[in-house]
Amino acid sequence: MPFLVFLLFVSCVQAPKNQNNYPDLWWKSVPATELKSWEISPASVEPPQVILSKRNELGILSNFASTPFIYKGEKFASLEGFWQAMKYPEGAEDPRLSLAKWPYTRGEVALMTAFQAKKAGDFGSKVMKENNLEWVSFKKRKMTYRLQEKGDFYHLIRKAMKAKLEQNPKVKAVLSRTKGLELLPDHRQGKNPPPAWRYHEIWMDIRKDLE
């Protein structure tokens, strides 16, 4: 085999993750002892799939990431803050107000990120479960929280994610860089999660608009 032909052959059989200049870090192996109980290792898949791991720049696409944005005139520190705040009372006339001694105001939760926002939301979920509430609200509009179809809550989350993208240039840059890859969550979502929970799929849908 001529040397030039050999070089061309070798270049064609290189690891897929290098064909589009994807960072090898996106698939970096993490020792099992360092993985969190909820975490899926970046090395558990190969291109054309990639885990949206919080261990690298792809973590900016996580709901937990600190990516401030304004939506409908309200400020949010993260998608997680936006999401979890909807479980909290909106005002004095909100029927949820009398159901518990709320540890935070809705506005305070909106300005939280990561596990702080998740913990605040866990309290809201507990109140919902104890009182058989199936809805959350935004701008006093009630929406079914767990719905196995793309209903009002799903579309609201998608719009908020797009606002995050448009107001944070790095988010747009990172998402664009994943072109050609199937995005997967970095945590276990349980069996058949509602569409609004599948943030990785929503990002791929938004990515199509960018293309």
Side-chain angles (χ1 to χ4, degrees):
M1 179 184 295
F3 184 69
L4 180 58
V5 174
F6 174 76
L7 289 179
L8 290 173
F9 172 78
V10 171
S11 66
C12 289
V13 297
Q14 285 181 336
K17 59 188 172 187
N18 292 324
Q19 288 184 356
N20 293 300
N21 294 318
Y22 300 129
D24 290 341
L25 181 63
W26 289 1
W27 292 271
K28 184 178 180 180
S29 179
V30 179
T33 54
E34 294 183 16
L35 288 173
K36 306 298 183 182
S37 59
W38 49 265
E39 186 178 10
I40 298 174
S41 172
S44 64
V45 300
E46 294 182 353
Q49 295 183 320
V50 69
I51 300 293
L52 295 181
S53 176
K54 298 177 181 66
R55 294 179 178 271
N56 57 59
E57 64 180 330
L58 295 177
I60 200 169
L61 299 178
S62 165
N63 289 351
F64 277 26
S66 177
T67 48
F69 66 96
I70 296 174
Y71 183 68
K72 297 294 185 180
E74 296 186 33
K75 296 181 179 180
F76 301 92
S78 66
L79 243 300
E80 193 69 18
F82 175 83
W83 184 295
Q84 304 299 352
M86 286 189 276
K87 300 175 183 177
Y88 277 64
E90 288 198 70
E93 297 179 358
D94 194 309
R96 293 170 294 187
L97 186 62
S98 62
L99 299 180
K101 185 176 180 180
W102 296 90
Y104 308 103
T105 65
R106 186 183 180 99
E108 288 173 336
V109 178
L111 298 179
M112 294 179 181
T113 64
F115 287 101
Q116 183 187 27
K118 176 64 167 59
K119 185 176 180 180
D122 287 344
F123 182 89
S125 294
K126 180 174 178 290
V127 173
M128 290 173 67
K129 184 176 181 180
E130 291 175 346
N131 293 275
N132 297 314
L133 295 181
E134 298 182 349
W135 55 270
V136 292
S137 67
F138 184 72
K139 295 293 184 181
K140 299 186 179 180
R141 180 181 180 182
K142 296 180 180 179
M143 295 162 288
T144 302
Y145 185 57
R146 292 180 179 275
L147 192 63
Q148 289 298 335
E149 61 185 60
K150 295 180 179 180
D152 291 344
F153 185 66
Y154 167 86
H155 291 293
L156 178 63
I157 293 298
R158 190 186 187 285
K159 289 176 182 177
M161 290 175 67
K162 194 166 184 180
K164 164 180 171 172
L165 174 99
E166 293 172 344
Q167 296 174 42
N168 292 273
K170 188 175 180 180
V171 174
K172 185 175 183 178
V174 170
L175 181 62
S176 297
R177 199 175 183 188
T178 67
K179 181 179 179 180
L181 294 172
E182 178 186 358
L183 310 183
L184 298 174
D186 73 336
H187 59 282
R188 294 165 183 80
Q189 294 189 313
K191 185 178 180 180
N192 196 30
W197 270 246
R198 302 175 193 172
Y199 71 106
H200 54 293
E201 294 182 358
I202 298 176
W203 278 131
M204 287 189 286
D205 187 41
I206 293 175
R207 188 178 63 189
K208 292 178 182 177
D209 295 340
L210 298 180
E211 297 172 2

